[in-house]
Amino acid sequence: MMEKVEVENSVSRKASSTAKNPSVCKEVMVAFSRAFKNHAIYPPDHVIRRNAVTEFEKRLSEVISKKDRFQVDVENDRLLHEGQVIYQSILQKGDIPNILFRDGIQWIAFESGIEGYEILRFLEILHRNRFVKEEAEGDIVTALWDAGLPHLHYEAVDVLWEAEPPAGVEKGRPGEYRASGVLKEPDAVPIPASEMPVQLEPLQDEENFAKTNQKAAPPEPIHSLADCPDTQEEVMSIAAPEIDRDLWRLTEAERNQLHEMVVQEENWNSIDDVLDVLVVILQEQQTKEDFSTILEFLVEEFRMTLEQLEFQLAADLLDKLHRMKNGYPEPDHWAPPLLDQFFHTISGTKVLNAFDECRSEPASLSDDQLKTVRRLLLQLHPRAVYPLGLMLPGTSDPRLRKLFVEIIGSLADIDPVRLEKLLEHPDDQLVRQMVFILGHLKHPDAVPLLARMLSHPSDSIRKQAMKAIISRGSGTLSKLFPLIEDPSPEIRRKILGLLARRRSSQAESLLLEYLSEGRFQIDEPLHVIACYHALGRCGSFQSIPFLRAVLLEKGWRSIIGLEKPYERQGAAMALLELKMEMAEEILQKAARSRFTSIRKAYERAFEAVR
């Protein structure tokens, strides 16, 4: 059986190990940060604020119970315990390390027995001194000294003090003073009689005090210095006639400044504090469920930033989350997919509809805001293409409309399929804008979408899609060829002109197959002749057998009324355009043919091309 001493030593070692565990200390600091941020956001009676403070008290008590004292060393952007980092700030200003370090706090310590009011008072001091204010009346060191919190100790250094230190502050090297939350018994130094403190009677214990003061009347309360008998002759009333009342009047500038301060306080927006809190909390989550819960809160807060035109806050938030996502070293960590889902969610219509207010008012955004909006939107998921596209028709500011087009193009180049729903929209103007964007994408999946637009009911959209496909160069003829029977004569002429531009085996094969089948949906003489003419411009000797048969064979069809003279004329024109010796021989036979229809086909073709 283990001896009692060994058991006690074992328990002591276990407690010490728990107290020194970095993860435990980090949990305390996370709870501390959460309590601090919620103290700044919510009113005193709010449940979130109360719960955050209670959680910090609980975590702190667990650590203090193991070692009676929990000391935290302060650096500019982090807090340490026994040399180990237990809190790393991601904010430049306004976070706990920065506040304490800025005012010279070197370390802060919580001792066993600390009470709730001390923690609340400490949080209040941090909140009031969160940011440096002009003409500030004090700092954290002064406020902590005045508060006199018995179980909270600290040490501060201020190299700017040149005069003698205030009471309770220890003097160190020249120009350096150490202020401590614990008063130390000074060394015995002779004090002049004139500076000796007034000797007070020792206090009686409660029982004797109650007996000796049973019949004593309670003292009158002192409401001001003027009520104190020892100072009545020295204190002068503000209302006294001999006082210059102009001393107490506010100037016009002071009144305006006071009014601005009141308005600023009334209109204070805490959304930036909320985002800071949520990001800090998110970083400390250890489970998927809690991580997902915080992200749900961030979705709503992100939407609110857009509604309030707080684009800088929104862009900064996405920057932090992208850095967080890229900061996980393990490739199979569960957090990055959840962050991807967050970006997918905020890129949907429900969230991005918050842009409606600013897009409907001309020039409502400054140029700097537009730059921030651009940085913000470029971080979204390609899913944002659809809601941003729907906003284009109602966007009156040309600068914002141009920006939306740019962002849609950038996101669609990642995933062109995101344009598919917009290409099916009933608004032809919107569809034309999407086809324009689609034509500038480099992604290979853009071509099939453009090919689908070649059958759109609108002539202008088909024409724009055709131009976009042509601009992509080779490999597009097969996709454009169906336009050879487009209802628009202009589009048909453009396609035939493209086919006839140069000698091309691909164009020749497409035209040979089309003409040999003879099932023309556009069965018009001019169209058929134009197709044969294009074959002669792009073809080769491979077309000669087909053209010879159309021109010379079955001359008897004209006798029984089955002749299509424009096909013979087209074949003759194609042979003339081939400019080959074999083609010339066939044309000479046509010119001497005994069938009138063949001779006339040659004559008409010769007249048309000369």
Side-chain angles (χ1 to χ4, degrees):
M1 180 180 295
M2 184 179 293
E3 296 293 337
K4 181 179 179 181
V5 175
E6 295 178 357
V7 172
E8 290 177 350
N9 290 338
S10 175
V11 172
S12 176
R13 285 193 301 270
K14 183 178 180 181
S16 176
S17 175
T18 303
K20 293 182 179 181
N21 188 346
S23 63
V24 174
C25 298
K26 288 180 180 180
E27 291 175 1
V28 176
M29 288 299 99
V30 170
F32 183 20
S33 175
R34 193 176 308 167
F36 168 61
K37 295 295 178 64
N38 282 299
H39 187 278
I41 297 171
Y42 299 102
D45 58 343
H46 199 284
V47 64
I48 294 180
R49 174 169 164 176
R50 292 201 309 268
N51 289 344
V53 175
T54 302
E55 178 67 15
F56 174 48
E57 292 179 5
K58 176 184 174 183
R59 299 278 186 181
L60 183 60
S61 298
E62 291 174 354
V63 173
I64 294 177
S65 65
K66 303 296 191 301
K67 57 189 305 184
D68 294 332
R69 179 185 174 96
F70 177 57
Q71 179 172 320
V72 177
D73 298 320
V74 179
E75 293 185 4
N76 185 34
D77 60 348
R78 59 182 185 172
L79 302 176
L80 302 92
H81 175 67
E82 297 182 352
Q84 294 183 323
V85 177
I86 58 174
Y87 183 83
Q88 180 71 52
S89 175
I90 63 171
L91 308 176
Q92 294 181 348
K93 295 182 180 180
D95 205 358
I96 295 171
N98 174 258
I99 300 171
L100 296 173
F101 184 83
R102 181 197 67 209
D103 285 358
I105 300 291
Q106 289 190 318
W107 55 259
I108 199 106
F110 306 89
E111 283 194 350
S112 177
I114 190 168
E115 299 185 23
Y117 84 89
E118 296 180 73
I119 292 176
L120 287 174
R121 180 64 176 145
F122 182 43
L123 292 172
E124 181 182 351
I125 290 172
L126 288 178
H127 173 57
R128 289 188 176 182
N129 293 273
R130 183 176 184 184
F131 297 107
V132 178
K133 301 178 181 178
E134 294 183 2
E135 301 180 0
E137 297 181 358
D139 57 7
I140 292 180
V141 177
T142 305
L144 288 174
W145 181 264
D146 292 339
L149 306 177
H151 298 91
L152 191 144
H153 308 285
Y154 57 90
E155 184 173 89
V157 174
D158 194 331
V159 297
L160 299 179
W161 288 349
E162 296 293 341
E164 287 299 312
V169 179
E170 301 171 8
K171 186 171 182 179
R173 298 189 306 272
E176 178 179 302
Y177 298 90
R178 296 184 181 273
S180 174
V182 182
L183 286 176
K184 297 181 179 180
E185 187 69 28
D187 296 334
V189 178
I191 302 175
S194 59
E195 298 181 10
M196 287 291 290
V198 178
Q199 297 297 321
L200 299 178
E201 293 290 337
L203 290 177
Q204 299 170 319
D205 60 273
E206 293 184 6
E207 182 178 357
N208 293 332
F209 181 81
K211 291 179 180 178
T212 57
N213 290 277
Q214 285 179 351
K215 297 181 180 180
E220 292 293 329
I222 297 176
H223 300 288
S224 67
L225 286 175
D227 294 334
C228 181
D230 296 334
T231 60
Q232 284 182 351
E233 295 180 359
E234 300 177 6
V235 177
M236 186 175 292
S237 172
I238 295 174
E242 60 272 18
I243 297 299
D244 186 359
R245 300 179 65 85
D246 290 339
L247 293 173
W248 310 103
R249 290 197 181 98
L250 293 175
T251 65
E252 184 67 24
E254 290 171 335
R255 281 197 297 270
N256 292 337
Q257 184 179 6
L258 180 61
H259 176 71
E260 291 178 1
M261 292 171 62
V262 172
V263 171
Q264 184 178 7
E265 185 67 22
E266 290 177 347
N267 296 331
W268 175 68
N269 185 358
S270 65
I271 192 169
D272 54 339
D273 290 317
V274 174
L275 292 177
D276 288 346
V277 171
L278 291 175
V279 172
V280 171
I281 295 174
L282 185 67
Q283 286 183 308
E284 302 300 329
Q285 298 311 305
Q286 303 298 322
T287 65
K288 294 175 64 174
E289 293 74 15
D290 293 340
F291 199 88
S292 299
T293 301
I294 302 302
L295 287 177
E296 290 176 5
F297 281 108
L298 280 172
V299 169
E300 182 60 23
E301 295 299 329
F302 178 80
R303 187 187 64 80
M304 290 176 61
T305 62
L306 300 185
E307 287 182 347
Q308 299 176 18
L309 308 185
E310 296 284 358
F311 302 124
Q312 186 67 49
L313 292 178
D316 290 346
L317 171 64
L318 298 189
D319 283 339
K320 292 174 185 176
L321 294 182
H322 271 298
R323 288 198 299 269
M324 185 186 301
K325 175 176 175 277
N326 297 329
Y328 290 98
E330 305 89 350
D332 56 347
H333 196 280
W334 48 262
L338 294 178
L339 287 166
D340 286 336
Q341 182 59 42
F342 167 81
F343 282 98
H344 184 274
T345 302
I346 64 170
S347 302
T349 304
K350 291 183 179 180
V351 176
L352 294 185
N353 273 348
F355 274 110
D356 280 345
E357 182 177 349
C358 68
R359 73 186 181 90
S360 59
E361 299 179 6
S364 61
L365 298 178
S366 67
D367 291 339
D368 288 339
Q369 283 180 308
L370 282 173
K371 291 179 182 178
T372 305
V373 170
R374 182 181 184 277
R375 179 166 68 90
L376 162 66
L377 295 179
L378 283 174
Q379 299 185 74
L380 296 179
H381 186 275
R383 184 191 182 197
V385 165
Y386 182 70
L388 292 178
L390 294 179
M391 293 179 194
L392 276 176
T395 302
S396 53
D397 187 341
R399 302 170 306 150
L400 188 58
R401 188 166 58 247
K402 180 180 178 181
L403 175 62
F404 281 166
V405 170
E406 177 191 353
I407 300 301
I408 291 171
S410 297
L411 297 179
D413 214 8
I414 301 173
D415 184 7
V417 178
R418 296 291 174 177
L419 286 169
E420 192 169 8
K421 290 179 64 176
L422 292 170
L423 294 172
E424 297 172 355
H425 200 275
D427 185 347
D428 285 355
Q429 181 179 357
L430 174 60
V431 175
R432 278 194 295 273
Q433 289 176 315
M434 295 304 106
V435 173
F436 172 80
I437 293 173
L438 194 60
H440 288 78
L441 301 186
K442 297 179 181 179
H443 200 288
D445 289 347
V447 176
L449 289 175
L450 284 169
R452 286 172 52 181
M453 302 312 296
L454 296 175
S455 59
H456 194 276
S458 169
D459 290 356
S460 62
I461 292 175
R462 293 198 307 275
K463 191 186 305 181
Q464 189 172 16
M466 177 189 67
K467 290 179 179 178
I469 292 178
I470 291 174
S471 68
R472 302 184 81 90
S474 60
T476 59
L477 281 178
S478 60
K479 296 178 176 60
L480 291 171
F481 191 80
L483 292 178
I484 199 171
E485 292 194 332
D486 191 271
S488 169
E490 181 182 0
I491 293 178
R492 295 199 301 267
R493 286 196 298 272
K494 286 184 178 295
I495 293 300
L496 287 170
L498 179 66
L499 294 169
R501 184 177 298 173
R502 59 179 179 273
R503 301 294 176 184
S504 168
S505 58
Q506 183 184 15
E508 181 182 26
S509 299
L510 291 170
L511 281 169
L512 276 175
E513 183 179 358
Y514 174 69
L515 292 171
S516 62
E517 289 180 355
R519 296 190 295 270
F520 308 119
Q521 294 183 12
I522 306 296
D523 193 5
E524 298 175 359
L526 291 178
H527 170 67
V528 175
I529 291 173
C531 290
Y532 276 99
H533 182 263
L535 177 61
R537 298 292 297 271
C538 70
S540 64
F541 67 91
Q542 293 180 356
S543 298
I544 290 179
F546 168 72
L547 295 174
R548 180 183 184 284
V550 174
L551 178 60
L552 299 179
E553 293 180 3
K554 301 180 181 179
W556 48 266
R557 282 192 169 190
S558 60
I559 301 174
I560 60 177
L562 297 177
E563 178 72 1
K564 288 185 178 181
Y566 50 85
E567 288 194 52
R568 290 189 190 277
Q569 180 182 339
M573 291 178 66
L575 289 167
L576 286 169
E577 290 292 347
L578 284 175
K579 296 180 173 56
M580 299 176 66
E581 184 176 352
M582 293 177 60
E584 288 291 336
E585 294 176 358
I586 296 172
L587 289 170
Q588 290 300 320
K589 289 183 180 179
R592 299 190 298 268
S593 175
R594 60 189 181 91
F595 293 106
T596 305
S597 60
I598 296 177
R599 293 196 307 272
K600 286 185 177 181
Y602 166 75
E603 292 170 0
R604 291 185 184 124
F606 185 78
E607 289 292 330
V609 299
R610 74 174 179 174

